[in-house]
Amino acid sequence: MYSEKVMDHFQNPRNMGEIEDASGVGTVGNAKCGDIMRIFLDIDEDGIIREARFKTFGCGAAVATSSMATELVKGKTVQEALQVTNKAVMEALDGLPPAKVHCSLLAEEAIHAALWDYAQKQGIAIQGLEKPKADIHDEDSE
Ligand code: FES
């Protein structure tokens, strides 16, 4: 039911861990399954993502999509990273079962949240980037 790529990224996740003093950190969660994903980005003065790492407390597909998403955004500009949608992550993983599509959505949301955090810290606006819907802490307090 899972592609070889999903199994590979689940069993050998790339970029797992944290970045100290990250340029941007985004934490998102899915209220239904309770899974949480945090993505750290290190962005240089030219707006290039030098490093991306993740911490995910979630299902195997969430781990695999975090792993692939961090791989995909590395070396990209902030604008290019916005194009790393959940669809792009799923395609790179050769697909996900329908019940697991929301896991890849978490990856897209976590990247956007980390970029939003970066923009806030820099005092800049990133074209096409909207404020993340729900901060994980808001969901917790519901
Ligand atoms: Fe919720 Fe995978 S089951 S993120």
Side-chain angles (χ1 to χ4, degrees):
M1 122 171 183
Y2 287 114
S3 73
E4 268 176 40
K5 277 195 190 156
V6 173
M7 290 309 291
D8 178 33
H9 278 263
F10 166 58
Q11 279 164 340
N12 311 293
R14 325 307 196 252
N15 313 312
M16 203 155 62
E18 298 182 24
I19 297 176
E20 245 179 80
D21 301 322
S23 315
V25 182
T27 308
V28 294
N30 182 297
K32 284 212 184 93
C33 64
D35 292 353
I36 296 172
M37 192 183 290
R38 180 171 293 162
I39 284 187
F40 304 80
L41 299 176
D42 188 21
I43 301 170
D44 72 11
E45 57 277 6
D46 297 322
I48 311 275
I49 298 171
R50 290 292 166 209
E51 197 63 61
R53 290 189 187 275
F54 77 91
K55 272 191 151 178
T56 291
F57 306 91
C59 72
V63 171
T65 54
S66 315
S67 168
M68 182 54 92
T70 48
E71 282 289 274
L72 289 176
V73 298
K74 261 200 287 183
K76 288 200 162 65
T77 65
V78 164
Q79 279 301 330
E80 288 166 346
L82 276 183
Q83 309 308 316
V84 179
T85 58
N86 79 306
K87 216 169 144 243
V89 173
M90 277 201 300
E91 271 166 22
L93 286 169
D94 292 338
L96 280 173
K100 292 289 171 182
V101 171
H102 79 272
C103 318
S104 64
L105 209 56
L106 224 45
E108 177 186 316
E109 288 172 359
I111 289 172
H112 285 188
L115 289 172
W116 181 264
D117 182 44
Y118 162 73
Q120 294 286 98
K121 283 180 180 154
Q122 299 289 315
I124 57 167
I126 298 174
Q127 213 190 341
L129 179 65
E130 287 172 17
K131 190 177 193 302
K133 273 180 280 159
D135 189 270
I136 183 71
H137 302 296
D138 295 336
E139 265 179 36
D140 279 350
S141 59
E142 266 175 13

